[in-house]
């Protein structure tokens, strides 16, 4: 008996889908009953519906996978500082980061913390300034300990004593407070003192070292009672600090080097200093129009004043009275020429004597300390400059007053002679270089620095003369520009030789000192012309400040364009020396 194929296929499906039914599909239509729902599997598709595609075993899905169409939850924001910038997930626009600032995070950033590169090919002043301007927790750990002290650590009292002795020589020699502090920090850091903090004021040096946060700090201090000018000793100390911070000499070797520096005598004897003082005054008189007789008279008066100042110093008189005594002989020689009615420019004689007495070195150091943020030291230095200038005023005014009382009609001392109108380029350039050379001897400079400082002084006068006499620029900005070039060249030379910039700068600013303006102010005071006298003195002060600011600006320009060690990350500059921002 033939069977219906469609009916047989349906019967086979029903048999496969039944739950244990043994009924045959060979029954007729009258014997068939409707099957229950239990006869079909729950996962079997109904008739007419195709089977779904089999799942791909190559790409299994996790039971934790996010279904399509749903957005992931926003992760909870890490709790941070109240002063941190809002993130973009909060719906707020993030504030722009300041230039040169790095993002602060509670964890190490993916790219790592920027490394500090303090390469020993850079001058130690730059390396130590970089570390001083860094927060304490960001300063790199000292690279080594003292040889032989790996177990016990560095000899802290001896390191602090050596540091203070080096700082004392630098501060007494006229070095700026910033460089003194950098040298002290460099010495302490080189011998393994990580948490060391030096402090420099005008006459007091102190240094504090704390081994850890749980140890008591060790503090030592030293008072600078005597200050003397010896740039040879200053350069030797700079080389010693460079050896300590770069070459890694031992503590005993550093002590021996410092003792040798102290034992060395000054390179020039006292009689050479006296001759240099006379040469300086004679050259300064030539700058304002003096002839050979004026040169000799100014040199004679300055040498007499220098010897009297040495005598007063040997008797223990303060520096104020030494300046009073030193200012009187040049003024007396000028008044004597005026009373004798000789055909000699007596005003040039007195002006030349003032050039040798104006404390340009202390003025530049005081303004430099103020511009770099050491206001206490700057105020003390400028106060010292004020006292010394008052001493010069007292000495010169006393002699001028006596001369005017003897002869009220002294025409040779009259300000109408207009010393500033003198313009002889060749004579003035020669005089300026001779003046710078004499200053080098007075400052006890090393012989190999004398030629550079002398040429720098000639360049300073050439720039000033071109701006003032040729371009007819006001003398104050002309002086500032010339002093800026002096500071720039001095800083470049000091970096080339890894030495202090003072030997290349201090002597070179000698031709720019306001000798004639100071003299005119004092003479007007002696004659009773107070308004004119105040005007001349204000001009003298303006010129002096222009010299100091120009020298500092030139040095900062050199540091700005030369590579300084710091953080190895693009767009990050060196930290400023200023400690506060005015609020």
């Amino acid at each position: 008996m033939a069977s219906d194929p469609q009916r047989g296929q349906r019967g086979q499906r029903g048999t496969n889908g039944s739950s244990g039914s043994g009924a045959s599909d060979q029954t007729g239509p009258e014997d068939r009953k409707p099957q229950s729902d239990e006869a079909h599997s729950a996962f079997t598709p109904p008739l007419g519906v195709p089977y779904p595609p089999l799942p791909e075993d190559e790409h299994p899905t996790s039971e934790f996978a996010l279904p399509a169409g749903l957005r992931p939850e926003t992760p909870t924001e890490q709790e941070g500082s109240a002063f941190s910038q809002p993130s973009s997930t909060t719906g707020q626009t993030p504030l722009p980061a300041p230039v040169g600032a790095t993002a602060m995070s509670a964890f190490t950033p993916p790219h790592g913390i920027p490394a500090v590169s303090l390469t020993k090919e850079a001058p130690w002043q730059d390396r130590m300034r970089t570390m001083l301007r860094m927060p304490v927790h960001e300063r790199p750990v000292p690279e080594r300990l003292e040889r032989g002290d790996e177990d016990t650590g560095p000899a802290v009292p001896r390191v602090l004593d050596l540091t203070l002795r080096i700082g004392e020589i630098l501060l007494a020699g006229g070095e700026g407070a910033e460089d003194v502090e950098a040298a002290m920090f460099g010495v302490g850091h080189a011998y393994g003192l990580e948490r060391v903090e030096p402090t420099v004021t005008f006459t007091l040096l102190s240094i504090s070292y704390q081994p850890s946060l749980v140890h008591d700090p060790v503090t030592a201090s030293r008072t600078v009672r005597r200050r003397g000018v010896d740039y040879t000793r200053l350069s030797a100390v700079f080389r010693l600090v460079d050896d300590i911070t770069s070459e890694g000499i031992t503590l005993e070797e550093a002590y021996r080097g410092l003792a040798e520096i102290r034992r060395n005598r000054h390179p020039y004897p006292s009689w050479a200093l006296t001759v240099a003082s006379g040469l300086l005054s004679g050259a300064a008189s030539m700058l304002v129009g003096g002839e050979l007789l004026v040169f000799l008279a100014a040199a004679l008066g300055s040498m007499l004043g220098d010897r009297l100042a040495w005598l007063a110093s040997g008797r223990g008189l303060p520096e104020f009275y030494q300046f009073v005594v030193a200012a009187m002989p040049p003024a007396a020689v000028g008044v004597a020429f005026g009373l004798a009615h000789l055909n000699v420019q007596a005003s040039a004689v007195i002006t030349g004597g003032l050039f040798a007495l104006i404390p340009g070195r202390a003025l530049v150091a005081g303004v430099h300390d103020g511009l770099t943020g050491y206001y206490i030291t700057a105020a003390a230095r400028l106060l010292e400059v004020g006292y010394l200038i008052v001493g010069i005023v007292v000495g010169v005014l006393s002699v001028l007053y006596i001369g005017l009382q003897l002869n009220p009609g002294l025409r040779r001392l009259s300000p109408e002679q207009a010393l500033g109108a003198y313009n002889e380029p060749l004579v003035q350039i020669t005089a300026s270089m001779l003046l710078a050379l004499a200053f080098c001897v007075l400052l006890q400079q090393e012989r190999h620095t004398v030629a550079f400082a002398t040429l720098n002084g000639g360049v300073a006068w050439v720039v000033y003369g071109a701006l003032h006499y040729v371009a007819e620029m006001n003398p104050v900005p002309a002086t500032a520009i010339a002093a800026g070039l002096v500071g720039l060249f001095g800083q470049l030379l000091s970096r080339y030789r890894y030495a202090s910039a003072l030997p290349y700068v201090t002597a070179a600013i000698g031709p720019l000192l306001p000798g004639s303006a100071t003299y005119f102010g004092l003479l007007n005071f002696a004659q009773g012309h107070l308004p004119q006298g105040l005007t001349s003195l204000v001009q003298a002060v303006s010129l002096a400040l222009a010299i100091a600011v120009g020298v500092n600006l030139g040095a900062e320009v050199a540091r700005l364009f030369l590579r300084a060690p710091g953080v190895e990350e693009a767009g990050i500059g060196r930290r400023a020396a200023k400690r506060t921002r005015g609020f």
Side-chain angles (χ1 to χ4, degrees):
M1 180 178 179
S3 61
D4 189 3
Q6 185 177 3
R7 185 176 59 184
Q9 186 177 2
R10 286 197 301 268
Q12 186 180 1
R13 284 187 182 179
T15 304
N16 293 337
S18 62
S19 57
S21 173
S24 174
D25 200 32
Q26 300 297 326
T27 58
E30 63 278 0
D31 297 339
R32 263 191 240 151
K33 295 180 181 179
Q35 297 179 355
S36 63
D37 293 338
E38 294 180 356
H40 300 277
S41 171
F43 299 97
T44 301
L47 294 175
V49 177
Y51 280 91
L54 297 176
E56 298 181 4
D57 296 337
E58 297 83 8
H59 303 283
T61 57
S62 171
E63 59 180 348
F64 300 103
L66 189 69
L70 295 181
R71 299 177 58 185
E73 296 182 1
T74 303
T76 58
E77 191 170 320
Q78 184 76 20
E79 183 178 357
S81 172
F83 299 97
S84 61
Q85 296 182 6
S87 60
S88 57
T89 58
T90 59
Q92 300 178 5
T93 303
L95 297 176
V99 177
T102 57
M104 301 300 296
S105 175
F107 304 98
T108 303
H111 55 273
I113 298 176
V116 177
S117 174
L118 298 176
T119 57
K120 296 184 178 180
E121 289 76 14
W124 63 263
Q125 302 99 307
D126 287 345
R127 291 186 277 122
M128 295 306 112
R129 285 194 197 99
T130 301
M131 295 184 65
L132 278 174
R133 295 170 183 178
M134 294 170 59
V136 178
H137 63 278
E138 293 183 9
R139 293 175 183 171
V141 179
E143 297 180 1
R144 67 167 184 87
L145 297 176
E146 174 68 10
R147 276 181 273 176
D149 292 338
E150 287 82 0
D151 298 330
T152 59
V156 175
R158 299 198 67 199
V159 173
L160 296 184
D161 177 71
L162 176 68
T163 302
L164 289 174
R165 290 178 183 272
I166 290 177
E168 178 187 13
I169 296 178
L170 293 177
L171 188 62
E175 193 62 62
E178 185 181 26
D179 286 333
V180 176
E181 197 172 278
M184 295 174 64
F185 180 82
V187 173
H189 191 270
Y191 288 115
L193 304 187
E194 180 181 357
R195 295 175 174 270
V196 61
E197 288 295 338
T199 303
V200 177
T201 58
F202 182 54
T203 58
L204 180 64
L205 300 170
S206 65
I207 186 168
S208 177
Y209 169 66
Q210 188 175 14
S212 66
L213 295 177
V214 297
H215 287 82
D216 294 332
V218 180
T219 303
S221 62
R222 197 175 187 90
T223 302
V224 181
R225 303 188 184 278
R226 296 185 59 187
R227 292 187 298 276
V229 181
D230 189 344
Y231 282 0
T232 298
R233 180 176 294 180
L234 191 70
S235 300
V237 174
F238 262 68
R239 288 192 294 269
L240 177 61
V241 175
D242 184 64
D243 292 339
I244 293 173
T245 57
S246 301
E247 303 298 330
I249 63 176
T250 64
L251 191 62
E252 297 300 329
E253 292 172 344
Y255 262 109
R256 284 195 295 268
L258 186 62
E260 184 178 355
I261 291 173
R262 286 183 174 274
R263 283 195 302 266
N264 288 342
R265 299 178 61 86
H266 300 302
Y268 307 105
S270 59
W271 64 265
L273 301 181
T274 301
V275 173
S277 177
L279 183 63
L280 190 153
S281 296
S285 66
M286 293 175 61
L287 281 177
V288 293
E291 299 178 353
L292 179 60
L293 185 57
V294 174
F295 177 91
L296 296 176
L300 177 62
S302 182
M303 288 190 290
L304 288 176
D306 183 74
R307 286 292 90 191
L308 289 177
W310 277 96
L311 181 62
S313 175
R315 299 295 181 182
L317 290 178
E319 198 171 11
F320 173 83
Y321 298 106
Q322 297 176 28
F323 271 77
V324 172
V325 172
M328 296 178 74
V333 173
V335 170
F337 277 115
L339 292 175
H341 299 286
L342 297 176
N343 190 18
V344 176
Q345 201 171 14
S347 297
V349 176
I350 302 176
T351 302
L354 290 176
F355 266 86
L357 295 176
I358 295 176
R361 174 182 59 87
L363 177 66
V364 171
V367 174
H368 172 75
D369 289 340
L371 294 177
T372 52
Y374 295 85
Y375 302 113
I376 297 177
T377 307
R381 288 186 189 272
L382 294 178
L383 185 61
E384 180 192 29
V385 171
Y387 271 106
L388 298 183
I389 291 179
V390 169
I392 298 172
V393 169
V394 170
V396 175
L397 275 182
S398 301
V399 177
L400 289 180
Y401 181 78
I402 294 174
L404 292 175
Q405 293 298 318
L406 295 176
N407 186 0
L410 285 177
R411 300 298 301 172
R412 291 295 175 182
L413 300 178
S414 176
E416 283 80 7
Q417 291 182 344
L419 300 180
Y422 180 73
N423 184 15
E424 290 292 336
L426 294 180
V427 176
Q428 289 177 314
I429 292 174
T430 303
S432 63
M433 297 180 66
L434 193 61
L435 191 152
L437 175 63
F439 249 127
C440 292
V441 177
L442 288 175
L443 296 173
Q444 301 278 4
Q445 292 190 194
E446 293 178 305
R447 289 176 172 82
H448 69 270
T449 65
V450 172
F452 293 103
T454 302
L455 292 176
N456 207 5
V459 171
W461 184 261
V462 168
V463 174
Y464 171 77
L467 294 176
H468 179 56
Y469 295 111
V470 179
E472 297 182 354
M473 183 181 291
N474 187 276
V476 175
T479 302
I481 295 174
L485 289 178
V486 169
L488 177 63
F489 293 155
Q491 190 64 227
L492 294 177
L493 288 172
S494 68
R495 286 172 175 270
Y496 175 72
R497 294 184 173 270
Y498 287 77
S500 173
L502 290 181
Y504 304 102
V505 171
T506 306
I509 64 173
L512 303 177
L513 293 176
S516 58
T518 305
Y519 164 70
F520 285 149
L522 299 181
L523 183 59
N524 280 308
F525 279 141
Q527 292 178 339
H529 304 153
L530 297 182
Q532 295 85 346
L534 285 176
T535 301
S536 298
L537 287 183
V538 168
Q539 184 181 10
V541 172
S542 301
L543 292 173
L545 292 178
I547 293 173
V549 174
V551 168
N552 180 265
L553 183 60
E556 292 299 328
V557 167
R559 294 173 185 170
L560 180 65
F561 289 101
L562 293 178
R563 184 184 63 85
V567 180
E568 291 184 343
E569 185 171 337
I572 297 181
R574 68 183 183 95
R575 289 179 172 89
K578 195 172 182 181
R579 275 29 174 197
T580 62
R581 297 187 180 276
F583 53 84

